[in-house]
Amino acid sequence: MTDDRNDALIQIATGDLASRVISVLRHRQTATADGARRFVLDHLLRAIGSKGEFDPGATLEVLRGHRVPLDRIIDLYIPHAAHALGEMWTEDEIDFATVTVGVMRLQSLLGEASSEVFLQPNASHVYRALIVVPQNEQHFLGALVAAAQMRRLGCETEVSFAEEQAALIQRARYDHTDMILFTCARASGLEPIGQSVLGIRNALTSPPVMAVGGALRVPADVVQETTGADLVTTDVKDVIAFCAQRRKAMTAE
């Protein structure tokens, strides 16, 4: 009897059921190029797309239950989920209302995760950063993620939404801003950003470091030439490092 049961188990293990199980297990273990586990990302997408109420605290606990630290939730999974929403909308798999609700839920999850992050300010100098979402720019979640990243790295960070150029100049002047990061998702937004960069440079004797980033799919050299920014990057650490290098050079003079 025991041998018969073992033979049956072997047959099951080599049959279609085993193939499906192995396929599921492989899928659960696959990851994106930057290390996001797909089954965790799928869970997050189901949570923000559910018809019922969304509980950011409960969703955060589920993600942490999968051994995902807070910084990875902020830096990796929330941006991936936002990108996935955009792709599904582009492919007409979901409508704009669903995208809007999903982004709002990701924003609430970001706020929940950010509230639990302990900041590690730079003892020698706390940099002041301003992240600018220009007028007519609708991709604001990336700016909020960047702000959360910079605060975690010890920067005093504010976010500007659709402000006039004069208001940006006033902020840079009176807040003694060390760096300004412009987010951009469309090529048409580059020229207005360039006008703001030029206006700030002309108005301040010691202008801040200015960077451009975001979901824009334009070569970095074209972005830099069009806007006149100091650098083009999607990594806030690059901007902080550039700022630190410039400060060090100015101190040595």
Side-chain angles (χ1 to χ4, degrees):
M1 180 68 69
T2 301
D3 290 341
D4 292 341
R5 291 174 63 184
N6 287 341
D7 289 342
L9 289 173
I10 291 172
Q11 290 177 3
I12 291 174
T14 57
D16 291 339
L17 177 60
S19 297
R20 291 197 297 271
V21 171
I22 291 171
S23 176
V24 169
L25 289 175
R26 284 178 176 172
H27 175 73
R28 285 173 65 87
Q29 296 302 320
T30 57
T32 62
D34 50 9
R37 288 175 286 169
R38 293 191 185 279
F39 84 93
V40 178
L41 182 58
D42 289 344
H43 178 88
L44 176 56
L45 287 170
R46 285 195 299 271
I48 64 174
S50 65
K51 299 298 183 181
E53 293 186 4
F54 177 74
D55 185 340
T59 302
L60 183 63
E61 286 307 309
V62 171
L63 295 177
R64 297 177 75 173
H66 289 304
R67 297 194 300 265
V68 182
L70 288 171
D71 60 342
R72 299 278 285 179
I73 294 172
I74 294 171
D75 298 350
L76 194 60
Y77 285 93
I78 290 177
H80 265 298
H83 181 71
L85 286 175
E87 286 190 335
M88 286 188 285
W89 179 51
T90 301
E91 298 297 326
D92 289 329
E93 297 177 14
I94 55 177
D95 57 26
F96 186 72
T98 302
V99 175
T100 302
V101 171
V103 170
M104 292 177 64
R105 289 177 169 182
L106 287 175
Q107 184 178 347
S108 66
L109 179 63
L110 174 62
E112 190 79 20
S114 300
S115 67
E116 297 189 24
V117 173
F118 293 99
L119 304 182
Q120 298 180 350
N122 187 321
S124 60
H125 180 79
V126 176
Y127 293 110
R128 293 180 181 272
L130 176 63
I131 298 178
V132 178
V133 181
Q135 293 177 322
N136 301 318
E137 184 67 54
Q138 298 178 349
H139 295 75
F140 61 87
L141 183 61
L144 297 178
V145 170
Q149 292 172 338
M150 298 197 79
R151 292 185 184 117
R152 195 174 70 244
L153 293 169
C155 296
E156 293 183 2
T157 308
E158 294 186 4
V159 182
S160 162
F161 292 98
E163 282 190 286
E164 297 285 347
Q165 184 184 118
L168 292 177
I169 294 174
Q170 290 291 84
R171 275 180 178 262
R173 176 184 288 124
Y174 293 111
D175 291 348
H176 303 289
T177 306
D178 296 297
M179 61 193 91
I180 298 179
L181 295 76
F182 294 88
T183 180
C184 187
R186 299 177 301 171
S188 60
L190 291 177
E191 186 174 343
I193 289 175
Q195 293 171 357
S196 294
V197 169
L198 182 61
I200 292 169
R201 284 220 175 97
N202 289 339
L204 279 69
T205 55
S206 181
V209 170
M210 285 181 276
V212 177
L216 181 68
R217 295 183 178 179
V218 175
D221 57 341
V222 175
V223 175
Q224 192 162 16
E225 181 179 356
T226 305
T227 63
D230 295 299
L231 73 161
V232 178
T233 181
T234 57
D235 191 337
V236 297
K237 292 181 181 178
D238 292 340
V239 188
I240 295 173
F242 190 98
C243 191
Q245 185 177 16
R246 172 179 286 188
R247 177 168 291 275
K248 183 178 179 180
M250 293 175 61
T251 304
E253 291 179 356

